[in-house]
Amino acid sequence: MVFNFRMLSDEDDNFIRDYEVPYDMTLKDFHRFICDDLQYDAAEMASFFKSDKSWQKLKEFTLVDMGLHPQDDLDDDLMPVAMEQVLLGQIIRKEHDRLLLVYDLFEDRAFFIELMATRKTNPDMEYPRVAFANGEAPNQFDAEKNVENKSIFEEAMDDWGNYEGDDNYDDEY
């Protein structure tokens, strides 16, 4: 069985990826596949979150095993589980189930991933694969580089961002 996921970004309305991946792929392998496709550094800290229909984070799956949680108990939402211990089919069970891939933990930047369909494996296809791609991926490390339509004020302030003033300036007349 193959999962067909759609991945979107709230930083760029033109960014869309459709991925077809085996249901028995680990979250870690799915993460690595996404990073390869987007040319991101897969070693950077990231987490998948199972989410509800409103994209609220429910259960965390971390890139690094924190050693805090046994793999058997995926129902305990309080403790994170390592991505390598979880298969997609264990947490994605029906169409429109959702995941968040938080790839910038400090800025809480994420991709929104939704299961659009399940299909039988096509013997002529190699999985995982990118089924559809549109738009450029957001910059992995600098959200500011993703902002193309800055206001005139923001552009002017960028020029002054590193200005520390003139130490020789005398405020008194």
Side-chain angles (χ1 to χ4, degrees):
M1 181 173 302
V2 174
F3 285 156
N4 180 290
F5 287 107
R6 169 147 301 160
M7 185 170 81
L8 304 172
S9 168
D10 63 352
E11 294 179 29
D12 184 351
D13 292 339
N14 294 318
F15 176 82
I16 300 171
R17 291 294 187 277
D18 285 350
Y19 295 124
E20 292 180 351
V21 298
Y23 77 98
D24 58 353
M25 179 181 231
T26 66
L27 285 174
K28 186 171 186 173
D29 289 339
F30 188 38
H31 172 260
R32 190 176 302 122
F33 172 73
I34 291 170
C35 287
D36 287 346
D37 174 49
L38 303 180
Q39 299 177 344
Y40 281 8
D41 182 355
E44 289 295 318
M45 291 298 297
S47 287
F48 277 107
F49 287 87
K50 179 86 167 128
S51 71
D52 62 16
K53 291 180 182 182
S54 301
W55 297 104
Q56 297 299 312
K57 296 174 183 173
L58 301 175
K59 175 72 181 163
E60 183 177 11
F61 304 93
T62 58
L63 185 58
V64 177
D65 186 355
M66 305 293 189
L68 301 172
H69 196 270
Q71 125 184 23
D72 301 337
D73 190 7
L74 295 177
D75 295 327
D76 181 358
D77 290 339
L78 299 177
M79 298 300 265
V81 176
M83 288 183 197
E84 66 189 18
Q85 297 175 345
V86 181
L87 303 177
L88 283 166
Q90 288 179 285
I91 59 171
I92 301 296
R93 297 191 174 99
K94 62 185 183 310
E95 284 187 18
H96 304 294
D97 276 355
R98 295 177 170 187
L99 294 170
L100 287 166
L101 173 55
V102 179
Y103 62 93
D104 184 344
L105 296 172
F106 296 112
E107 297 294 327
D108 201 30
R109 296 170 59 221
F111 290 113
F112 301 83
I113 303 170
E114 183 172 354
L115 180 65
M116 303 308 289
T118 57
R119 298 188 172 95
K120 290 184 179 181
T121 306
N122 182 341
D124 298 332
M125 295 282 186
E126 191 172 318
Y127 302 103
R129 72 183 202 98
V130 179
F132 177 78
N134 187 65
E136 296 294 319
N139 185 287
Q140 182 178 12
F141 302 109
D142 189 358
E144 292 298 316
K145 289 184 179 179
N146 299 319
V147 179
E148 293 180 13
N149 300 321
K150 289 186 177 180
S151 70
I152 293 171
F153 176 76
E154 289 173 319
E155 289 179 13
M157 292 310 293
D158 283 347
D159 293 337
W160 293 98
N162 294 327
Y163 180 71
E164 294 180 12
D166 183 355
D167 291 340
N168 296 324
Y169 183 78
D170 186 10
D171 286 342
E172 295 180 25
Y173 294 94

